[in-house]
Amino acid sequence: MATPLDLIAQSERLTVLEADNARLREALREAEAALRASEERYQLILGVSEFVGTWDWDILNDRLLANERVAEFFGLDAAQVASGVPLSSYVAGIHPEDRERVWEAVSRTVDSAGVFAEEYRLLGRDGSVRWVFAHGRCARDERGRSTRFPGVMFDITGRRRSEEALREQEAYHLVEVDLTPQISWTADAEGRVDRVPARWLEVTGHPSEDALGDDWLRLAHPEDRAATSAAWARAVTSGNTYDAEYRMRVADGRYRWMHSRALPRRDAQGRILGWHGITQDVHDRRSAVDALRELNETLESRVAERTHELAAANERLQAEMGERERAEAALRQAQKMEAVGQLTGGIAHDFNNLLSGIMGSLSLLEKRLELGQVDQAGRYIRAATSSVNRAAALTHRLLAFSRRQPLEPRPVDAHKLIMSLEELIRRTLGPSIQLEVPAGESLWPTLCDPNQLENALLNLVINARDAMPSGGRLRLETVNMHLGPDDVAAQRDELPGDYVCIRVSDTGSGMTPDVIARAFEPFFTTKPLGQGTGLGLSMIYGFVKQSEGHVRIDSRVGEGTSVALFLPRFEGAVGEVGTAVGAAETPRAEGETVLVVEDEALLRELVVEILGELGYRTIEAEDGPAGLKVVQSKKQRIDLLVTDIGLPGLNGRQLADAARESRPGLKVLFMTGYAENAVFGNGLDSGMQMITKPFNPDALASRVREMFEA
């Protein structure tokens, strides 16, 4: 049971809690009151200001969302626009005389992703006209497409009506001035006024005598007198037209603005005999201009004040837009991760199959060797080698899709290259498919990797063959094409210029628009399971893009498909295009020394062993700094540097550049399975070549010998 002390302690704690609760309730009431006051101020600002509301146009889906007041201004129902309507629904509410101008401004903003700021009229259902000012900005996604177009709108009907009234008032005063009779006067050659009409008295209230000679200057305002006198003196001296505005005192003592102009009167020899002039009262016009200027200044001040009042509302809008952009970024990241998951799943499937073939072949080879059964060794070695080659091909296709494949561009005559493949293509197609290869007359050369172009053409030929199981016709043609700005306007990532077009056309089953849209995606294929990796077209796309060209597909279901490769024109000369011929025997060393730099120990040992067996003297280094130390020591002769690109410390290109500073002209052979533009820049320098991993010993031996004999 609780003691009296426990009960007292509990009572005190309850008292404290009740006091805390009371304070919290009071703070909550104060916060709610402040929130209501803030909302009332915000609504008051919207009510008394020109602010109408906001809009947000989803360009890609052509859906425009806006608040109720904006919808009302365009004559649309709130329920109708709750889920967004096409932009055309809003354009219909614009005054017909302004509609084309506003549409052109919207198009310019979408094309340039710039700022939209336009004043235009809205035509109500009852025929009423409202003036609005719309201000927005177009946003682009990471692919350069204009995707969103948010903005705000203000009602400026009152201001425009005020401006129209002021313009009408000014026009009225100008007409009044024009109808007012002008005062004509004359002066002698020295500029002394010698005749003033009776109208002078009617306009100024002064007798004509007060204007003769130089006396008229005494009537000018003291602040204007010196400038007016100087302007008249300059005109008299130079013979140029006199034109001046100044204030003149009239009979009641007030000053009115006058405008005087005078032209010289000359004799046959061009000498000035005198002056003809006119003076008119422009006081009303000047007063209207000053009033209009003052009104404009006041209007700018009012606009500035209202802009300041809307700052809080704009901040809320910006915060909402930022939140939406963060949500869109998260969505894009999720989509990217989904694509990466699909890609890695396809890679894992194919590579696991290849690794299983390699592992199984090597395991069986090891067992046969342990049992002394060497007669089957060749078969297992060939099986493992085949899997290695297929893995290398898969890697090259993936790199081609991502535009990281190491290329060896050379000047190429595309038609001659096709002719060199004609026999192979005919064997691939079979007798049921007719092959057409029209002559490529006066064909421009192009600069690309001929081996990769051969692979791309063979991939297209195989795809065409598979699309014509019952036979058909395949056409391989090459033409020169100039693409102007209009030809590439509707295409993304294409530039105008001169191109060599290689078109592969078949009469096969064709593709649907959905298949065309996904044709270049990696691992996407319509072939049955086991008959295609889905990397053929993606490899072609990557190769052509890396060669600064582009690809187009034109296909109709049941009619056939045409794939066009556009490769940039090369201005230089082209050598003979032929097929590679294997050397009769492996080329051997002639006393040269090779420095091998590779951070992968097993690969470094293999390269050193291959070169050593060929008679080359070799030096090893495990990374970039170690290789550079060997080069800079200059204690040993080095005829060739063989280096991996991806080295720790210094990459292969940095090592080669530093090595050539110590040993100018040193030949360099790069080993790589991955090409990065930042490493190679605009290409390889003279005396540099590249060999792609994986490579066999004969290929390495031939390349090294080729560099020494170059």
Side-chain angles (χ1 to χ4, degrees):
M1 296 181 61
T3 65
L5 292 177
D6 293 336
L7 294 176
I8 293 172
Q10 290 178 5
S11 176
E12 291 176 350
R13 284 196 295 272
L14 288 174
T15 302
V16 171
L17 289 175
E18 289 176 355
D20 290 342
N21 288 336
R23 285 193 296 272
L24 289 174
R25 284 193 294 271
E26 181 63 26
L28 179 60
R29 283 194 296 271
E30 292 176 356
E32 290 174 344
L35 179 60
R36 285 194 299 272
S38 176
E39 290 294 332
E40 290 172 357
R41 286 195 298 271
Y42 177 66
Q43 294 299 328
L44 179 61
I45 289 172
L46 296 182
V48 302
S49 70
E50 298 172 344
F51 181 74
V52 176
T54 65
W55 81 82
D56 193 348
W57 178 31
D58 180 355
I59 300 174
L60 298 181
N61 297 310
D62 190 21
R63 308 301 292 175
L64 195 150
L65 294 170
N67 62 321
E68 292 183 5
R69 198 169 178 216
V70 171
E72 175 190 349
F73 266 51
F74 282 90
L76 301 174
D77 295 332
Q80 182 182 0
V81 301
S83 59
V85 296
L87 178 63
S88 57
S89 299
Y90 286 86
V91 174
I94 300 177
H95 196 286
E97 296 178 3
D98 298 343
R99 196 172 295 156
E100 183 177 356
R101 171 176 59 84
V102 175
W103 183 255
E104 291 176 353
V106 170
S107 300
R108 286 195 304 272
T109 305
V110 172
D111 291 340
S112 63
V115 175
F116 175 85
E118 292 290 329
E119 293 184 5
Y120 52 92
R121 291 167 291 178
L122 299 178
L123 188 61
R125 295 177 179 176
D126 58 354
S128 61
V129 176
R130 282 176 170 172
W131 277 94
V132 296
F133 169 68
H135 185 277
R137 180 182 297 274
C138 197
R140 287 181 173 174
D141 61 12
E142 66 277 2
R143 296 166 61 185
R145 300 179 303 175
S146 295
T147 56
R148 290 185 51 246
F149 191 163
V152 296
M153 188 168 69
F154 300 85
D155 181 3
I156 59 170
T157 305
R159 175 168 65 84
R160 291 297 296 235
R161 288 174 178 170
S162 299
E163 291 174 352
E164 290 291 338
L166 288 173
R167 279 193 290 270
E168 290 178 5
Q169 184 180 6
E170 181 181 6
Y172 169 79
H173 286 300
L174 289 175
V175 171
E176 184 180 37
V177 170
D178 289 340
L179 294 177
T180 301
Q182 299 172 339
I183 304 171
S184 299
W185 51 269
T186 62
D188 60 20
E190 286 71 33
R192 293 185 294 270
V193 176
D194 53 19
R195 187 185 66 82
V196 177
R199 283 287 302 154
W200 174 266
L201 177 62
E202 296 176 17
V203 174
T204 67
H206 296 289
S208 301
E209 293 76 15
D210 291 349
L212 298 178
D214 294 331
D215 290 346
W216 63 276
L217 281 170
R218 293 187 294 103
L219 302 176
H221 194 286
E223 296 178 0
D224 302 339
R225 191 174 300 154
T228 304
S229 176
W232 177 235
R234 285 195 301 272
V236 171
T237 302
S238 64
N240 294 329
T241 301
Y242 170 65
D243 193 329
E245 282 191 7
Y246 52 93
R247 289 165 290 180
M248 177 176 287
R249 190 178 72 251
V250 294
D252 61 1
R254 294 179 301 165
Y255 285 91
R256 294 185 66 84
W257 280 99
M258 299 292 177
H259 182 200
S260 295
R261 282 177 57 85
L263 293 173
R265 177 169 55 86
R266 301 177 184 271
D267 61 11
Q269 288 74 36
R271 293 188 297 269
I272 295 177
L273 301 178
W275 292 79
H276 286 298
I278 57 171
T279 297
Q280 67 182 63
D281 187 330
V282 295
H283 187 81
D284 292 339
R285 176 175 65 81
R286 285 292 298 256
S287 298
V289 170
D290 292 341
L292 180 61
R293 183 184 302 110
E294 182 179 356
L295 184 60
N296 284 336
E297 292 173 355
T298 305
L299 179 62
E300 291 177 0
S301 175
R302 293 207 313 272
V303 170
E305 291 175 0
R306 292 180 181 180
T307 302
H308 180 72
E309 292 170 356
L310 290 171
N314 286 336
E315 287 180 4
R316 291 185 181 181
L317 177 62
Q318 293 296 330
E320 181 181 344
M321 291 171 59
E323 192 65 31
R324 184 174 299 172
E325 289 174 357
R326 285 190 289 272
E328 290 176 352
L331 177 60
R332 286 194 297 270
Q333 178 67 15
Q335 292 172 339
K336 183 172 71 174
M337 293 307 297
E338 180 182 356
V340 170
Q342 294 176 354
L343 179 65
T344 54
I347 294 172
H349 176 269
D350 283 359
F351 266 101
N352 282 336
N353 287 342
L354 296 171
L355 291 174
S356 297
I358 296 171
M359 185 179 299
S361 297
L362 293 178
S363 177
L364 290 173
L365 176 61
E366 182 181 17
K367 291 180 179 179
R368 295 297 182 271
L369 292 177
E370 289 176 354
L371 297 174
Q373 300 173 354
V374 297
D375 56 326
Q376 296 295 319
R379 182 162 67 91
Y380 298 130
I381 291 173
R382 286 190 296 274
T385 303
S386 174
S387 294
V388 169
N389 291 334
R390 289 170 57 201
L394 178 60
T395 303
H396 288 172
R397 289 182 176 184
L398 290 170
L399 292 176
F401 172 75
S402 62
R403 306 183 207 176
R404 293 293 188 268
Q405 183 178 19
L407 300 180
E408 298 183 53
R410 302 175 189 172
V412 173
D413 184 319
H415 181 71
K416 289 183 179 180
L417 184 141
I418 291 174
M419 295 304 297
S420 70
L421 296 173
E422 184 177 5
E423 185 60 31
L424 175 61
I425 292 173
R426 289 188 185 277
R427 290 199 306 269
T428 301
L429 293 176
S432 63
I433 298 177
Q434 178 185 351
L435 176 64
E436 297 178 359
V437 186
E441 298 180 358
S442 303
L443 189 70
W444 296 327
T446 184
L447 187 68
C448 68
D449 187 322
N451 294 323
Q452 294 303 322
L453 180 55
E454 289 179 358
N455 290 338
L457 291 174
L458 290 175
N459 267 289
L460 292 176
V461 167
I462 292 171
N463 285 348
R465 180 200 64 189
D466 294 343
M468 298 183 288
S470 301
R473 185 175 67 257
L474 177 67
R475 183 179 178 87
L476 275 171
E477 60 180 327
T478 53
V479 293
N480 298 328
M481 293 194 68
H482 175 78
L483 300 182
D486 293 340
D487 299 318
V488 300
Q491 304 296 328
R492 185 183 63 198
D493 299 335
E494 292 189 11
L495 298 175
D498 291 336
Y499 291 89
V500 174
C501 176
I502 307 170
R503 184 176 287 108
V504 181
S505 305
D506 64 61
T507 57
S509 56
M511 292 185 284
T512 64
D514 293 340
V515 172
I516 294 175
R518 300 189 60 191
F520 295 127
E521 292 182 12
F523 295 106
F524 174 75
T525 179
T526 58
K527 296 179 180 180
L529 185 64
Q531 295 186 20
T533 63
L535 285 173
L537 284 178
S538 66
M539 177 275 293
I540 294 171
Y541 178 83
F543 154 66
V544 174
K545 282 297 183 182
Q546 198 173 357
S547 301
E548 300 182 357
H550 50 268
V551 187
R552 292 183 185 177
I553 297 181
D554 183 21
S555 184
R556 291 174 178 81
V557 176
E559 298 182 15
T561 300
S562 175
V563 180
L565 313 182
F566 292 84
L567 296 173
R569 178 184 181 181
F570 176 64
E571 301 291 346
V574 183
E576 290 296 322
V577 176
T579 56
V581 179
E585 59 182 28
T586 304
R588 300 190 62 80
E590 297 179 1
E592 296 92 350
T593 300
V594 181
L595 170 60
V596 179
V597 185
E598 169 61 64
D599 60 320
E600 184 65 38
L602 178 58
L603 180 57
R604 184 174 68 249
E605 292 172 3
L606 289 173
V607 172
V608 168
E609 186 173 346
I610 292 170
L611 295 176
E613 289 182 353
L614 295 172
Y616 293 101
R617 182 174 176 271
T618 58
I619 307 171
E620 298 182 45
E622 62 184 7
D623 55 28
L628 183 60
K629 185 176 180 180
V630 173
V631 172
Q632 292 177 340
S633 68
K634 295 187 178 180
K635 294 180 179 180
Q636 305 178 72
R637 170 185 170 183
I638 300 176
D639 300 296
L640 174 67
L641 170 61
V642 178
T643 177
D644 184 28
I645 288 292
L647 293 173
L650 290 174
N651 65 43
R653 184 56 191 262
Q654 293 170 334
L655 171 61
D657 291 340
R660 283 195 163 188
E661 291 182 4
S662 300
R663 299 174 186 257
L666 176 64
K667 296 180 183 296
V668 181
L669 176 61
F670 293 107
M671 300 181 295
T672 182
Y674 175 83
E676 177 62 53
N677 291 337
V679 175
F680 293 103
N682 295 325
L684 296 175
D685 298 336
S686 176
M688 292 182 176
Q689 290 194 30
M690 182 169 57
I691 186 168
T692 305
K693 299 176 183 177
F695 47 79
N696 60 45
D698 290 341
L700 177 62
S702 298
R703 183 60 62 87
V704 170
R705 193 69 257 159
E706 175 187 328
M707 294 192 66
F708 281 131
E709 294 176 355

